[in-house]
Amino acid sequence: MSSVVQKAQPTGSRGLMVASIMLATLMQAIDTTIANVALPQMQGSLSATQDQAAWVLTSYIVAAAIVTPVTGWLAGTFGRRRLLVIAVSGFTAASILCGLATGIGEMVLFRIAQGVFGASLVPISQSLLLDVFPREKHGAAMALWGIGIMIGPILGPPFGGWLTQNFSWRWVFLINVPVGALALMGILASVRRDTPWARPFDWRGLAFLAVGIGAMQLFLDRGESQDWFGSLEIQIEAALGALGMYLYWVHWRGREHALLDLGMWRNGNYAVACLLIFIVGIVLFATLALLPPYLSQIVHYPVMDIGLLLAPRGVGTMIGMMLVGRLSGRIDARWPIFIGMLLTVGSLYFMCQFGVDVSKSDVVWIGFMQGLGLGLVFVPVSTVAYATLPPQMRTDAASLFSLVRNLGSSIGISAVMTLLSRATQINHAEIAARVPAYGVEQSTLPALWNPSSPIGAAALNVEITRQAAVIGYVNDFWLMMWLTLAAVPLVYFLRARNPPGAPAVEVELS
């Protein structure tokens, strides 16, 4: 498990590398959410059912999850520069094929290709930056790199909606072509060649991981729509997921060069960082899954307004990352993580006060606060995670780190959407039981909601459903708030090798 650590490069070369890697990671991160809003138009254009169209999202997530653990071996076999070039080229080519697809089968196949090629982009780019920047500049490097990881999913839905509304759903994929081309040219010009190192491939480990991770992702992604354990499909996926992960654990214990070294979790610092990034994955993606439908279906804001209202969240994230990048090396890395966690808890508390008439200003400043908190957490956690690991383990560690974050996002989205659906049903029944069908004085209810008439009863049912859904959303916000608050004490156990008082950290991009 050795690797070649690149020497520091001139500032200009590093700047071009950072810009190129940011473009590549941003392209991959945006594609995790950009297709969501285009599904209805895609479904009609490709003559697909709603369930078939959902596979456009599921296939990408599952393929990326399965290939992510293989990144370490691929980097050793091809070299990180060559793997990065292959990944960007393949992802861009798959995007073109997605934009030209004429049937749902083709679309799912090309989305699988996107996931396969895109899986290596995040861990490879992260390990490269950690190697070519001096240790005292790791915080700033991760701040610049993290912009793509954190901002991409936030920009995806509004950007995808704008492209679909003004052009066509096909441009959701075709927009990757110029971005991928620029990233590829920058990578070829700035990333130095590295020497591949021999490493036997663990075919049995790959089989176990593919079954375990793939079945788990399918279980999480399709559980809500298939009524969870009431469905035979979900029962099979849950059983295969648990069996695959158990068999890989047994296999790893008896093999010297397993595909993914779970022994990295014996490093307490890395284990705590993985747990914290797991929580960040839950909060980031679960709130992204909840806010757009809340603002659309409950508060009735237009789609374009929703995109604008969520934009300050991304601005807060960028400011948090830039701020912590400049402070890296000057202060204990645990302080920005601690403050960021508290800001995230506070923002979720304020979101628990949302109602049917939440104002636009509240959505803006609370979103900014949450983005700022997540930005303060993401960069130092992503830096400190590798601080006590040997440099040659960074690519494998980055693969596992990315996998943990992605699993957090999948589990978070699945959990909150399930709780929302069930809470809405239960609360609807509870509220409706308190509204008598007849004998209500006209002064107690608006005329529009008079339950004694069919039209009034239908209108009243719509409002009851709306109020029940609000309670469900608020319950989800409470859950995420308590989960984040419970994780705050973990910050104490993080350790960074660099002592406070190191030189200030700044990265120039010229």
Side-chain angles (χ1 to χ4, degrees):
M1 193 183 300
S2 61
S3 68
V4 179
V5 179
Q6 297 190 18
K7 297 180 180 180
Q9 294 177 249
T11 302
S13 179
R14 288 204 308 263
L16 180 59
M17 175 189 287
V18 172
S20 304
I21 286 177
M22 280 180 61
L23 276 178
T25 53
L26 181 64
M27 177 178 65
Q28 189 271 350
I30 285 180
D31 264 56
T32 59
T33 58
I34 194 172
N36 297 35
V37 292
L39 275 187
Q41 292 84 348
M42 202 180 302
Q43 179 182 339
S45 176
L46 300 177
S47 301
T49 64
Q50 184 174 357
D51 190 55
Q52 289 174 329
W55 279 99
V56 174
L57 307 178
T58 303
S59 58
Y60 178 88
I61 295 171
V62 172
I66 291 174
V67 178
T68 296
V70 190
T71 300
W73 179 84
L74 291 173
T77 302
F78 298 103
R80 288 182 298 184
R81 181 182 186 270
R82 185 179 300 172
L83 177 58
L84 196 57
V85 170
I86 293 172
V88 173
S89 303
F91 191 89
T92 306
S95 298
I96 296 174
L97 294 174
C98 287
L100 300 177
T102 57
I104 190 63
E106 292 180 8
M107 175 58 73
V108 171
L109 178 63
F110 299 147
R111 282 287 279 175
I112 290 174
Q114 265 195 320
V116 168
F117 285 108
S120 300
L121 286 176
V122 171
I124 284 296
S125 60
Q126 187 177 24
S127 66
L128 269 174
L129 290 177
L130 288 172
D131 280 358
V132 300
F133 278 85
R135 181 175 293 277
E136 66 272 12
K137 293 189 176 183
H138 279 181
M142 288 299 97
L144 294 170
W145 169 82
I147 290 176
I149 302 300
M150 296 288 282
I151 301 299
I154 298 173
L155 292 178
F159 189 43
W162 181 80
L163 288 171
T164 303
Q165 180 176 325
N166 292 280
F167 300 96
S168 163
W169 65 264
R170 297 184 183 278
W171 280 99
V172 166
F173 303 105
L174 296 177
I175 194 65
N176 289 334
V177 177
V179 178
L182 287 174
L184 182 60
M185 288 188 290
I187 289 168
L188 290 171
S190 62
V191 179
R192 292 179 177 176
R193 296 182 183 275
D194 54 339
T195 305
W197 63 94
R199 179 174 171 180
F201 188 67
D202 182 11
W203 288 102
R204 185 179 299 177
L206 174 62
F208 291 151
L209 277 180
V211 171
I213 295 174
M216 184 186 302
Q217 284 287 358
L218 287 171
F219 166 78
L220 294 170
D221 192 68
R222 293 178 56 78
E224 170 60 23
S225 63
Q226 302 299 314
D227 193 28
W228 289 106
F229 289 100
S231 164
L232 178 61
E233 175 197 335
I234 300 303
Q235 294 173 13
I236 293 174
E237 288 165 357
L240 287 176
L243 179 62
M245 299 306 291
Y246 172 74
L247 289 176
Y248 182 79
W249 178 74
V250 173
H251 169 76
W252 164 75
R253 286 172 59 88
R255 184 179 174 91
E256 183 178 355
H257 297 290
L259 183 66
L260 191 63
D261 184 10
L262 302 182
M264 290 183 289
W265 279 333
R266 295 193 186 111
N267 183 299
N269 197 63
Y270 180 73
V272 171
C274 282
L275 188 53
L276 286 173
I277 206 66
F278 180 81
I279 302 297
V280 169
I282 291 176
V283 174
L284 173 63
F285 284 91
T287 50
L288 281 176
L290 291 172
L291 284 174
Y294 182 91
L295 297 175
S296 174
Q297 299 168 13
I298 304 299
V299 196
H300 304 307
Y301 286 147
V303 175
M304 294 307 298
D305 285 3
I306 293 173
L308 293 174
L309 289 173
L310 296 181
R313 175 188 171 105
V315 174
T317 302
M318 290 183 64
I319 291 176
M321 288 182 170
M322 293 295 100
L323 179 62
V324 80
R326 288 184 174 273
L327 292 175
S328 178
R330 292 181 173 181
I331 62 174
D332 189 325
R334 290 175 294 185
W335 278 112
I337 299 174
F338 178 73
I339 295 171
M341 295 283 282
L342 292 183
L343 284 173
T344 304
V345 170
S347 68
L348 288 167
Y349 172 78
F350 290 122
M351 290 172 70
C352 294
Q353 318 307 315
F354 279 4
V356 295
D357 56 351
V358 60
S359 67
K360 293 183 177 180
S361 61
D362 284 343
V363 175
V364 167
W365 75 263
I366 293 173
F368 178 85
M369 178 182 180
Q370 188 170 102
L372 180 64
L374 292 173
L376 289 174
V377 171
F378 185 85
V379 172
V381 167
S382 298
T383 305
V384 172
Y386 310 98
T388 55
L389 288 174
Q392 63 267 22
M393 298 180 68
R394 284 174 183 158
T395 300
D396 285 321
S399 300
L400 184 56
F401 196 70
S402 297
L403 180 62
V404 168
R405 186 184 68 250
N406 291 336
L407 286 176
S409 67
S410 297
I411 291 173
I413 292 172
S414 179
V416 298
M417 298 310 290
T418 298
L419 292 174
L420 173 62
S421 175
R422 295 187 176 180
T424 300
Q425 295 175 7
I426 295 172
N427 292 321
H428 185 282
E430 291 285 338
I431 297 173
R434 289 165 171 75
V435 179
Y438 303 99
V440 180
E441 297 182 5
Q442 292 299 313
S443 60
T444 62
L445 284 172
L448 178 64
W449 295 346
N450 185 356
S452 61
S453 69
I455 296 177
L460 181 60
N461 181 67
V462 171
E463 183 59 25
I464 290 175
T465 302
R466 184 178 177 224
Q467 297 286 348
V470 169
I471 299 173
Y473 280 105
V474 169
N475 288 344
D476 279 343
F477 296 145
W478 278 115
L479 174 64
M480 287 188 287
M481 189 203 79
W482 288 115
L483 178 64
T484 308
L485 185 62
V488 171
L490 293 173
V491 178
Y492 174 78
F493 299 98
L494 287 174
R495 293 291 181 269
R497 188 175 298 172
N498 284 351
V505 179
E506 293 186 19
V507 174
E508 300 177 8
L509 292 181
S510 59

